[in-house]
Amino acid sequence: IVFVGSVFSMNAKANSSKGAADYKYYANYCIVPGDTLWNIAEANIDYNHYGSVKEYAKEIQKINKINGEHITNGTYIMLPYYSDELK
C-alpha cells in the first residue's frame, strides 16, 4: 500500500511540474455597432489555445449557434477563454 501511495505522489508531482492545468470558461459579450465575428475573435484570442483567429471565430460561431457571419447589435454571445485558476 505504501508503494502505491508513493506512485500516485510521483504522478501528482510530475503533473504539477508540467505547468498548471487549464480550465475552460465562458464570458458574456454584448455585440456593439461595428463589431464583426472576426474583430471580436481577434481581440479575445488566446494563441496558447487556438492556432488562428479563424479557428477561434469558428468556435465562437459553434457555441453560439451562429450561422454565417451575421451578428446583431445588443445580442449577448459567449466567448470561450482559458484560465489556470479553478473558479
Side-chain angles (χ1 to χ4, degrees):
I1 294 174
V2 174
F3 174 74
V4 172
S6 65
V7 170
F8 288 123
S9 176
M10 285 187 284
N11 285 339
K13 290 179 185 176
N15 288 339
S16 66
S17 69
K18 291 180 186 175
D22 284 335
Y23 302 96
K24 189 173 188 177
Y25 297 103
Y26 298 89
N28 284 319
Y29 178 82
C30 183
I31 298 170
V32 297
D35 274 346
T36 65
L37 279 175
W38 188 265
N39 70 13
I40 293 169
E42 198 171 44
N44 293 282
I45 189 170
D46 174 357
Y47 284 105
N48 292 323
H49 295 93
Y50 298 95
S52 67
V53 174
K54 182 177 181 178
E55 179 185 340
Y56 185 56
K58 284 184 181 244
E59 183 167 1
I60 293 170
Q61 285 176 304
K62 180 181 174 184
I63 64 175
N64 290 285
K65 297 181 173 113
I66 298 171
N67 295 321
E69 303 253 338
H70 180 73
I71 54 176
T72 305
N73 294 333
T75 301
Y76 283 87
I77 60 173
M78 293 184 298
L79 301 178
Y81 71 96
Y82 290 84
S83 174
D84 60 357
E85 182 180 321
L86 181 60
K87 297 180 183 184

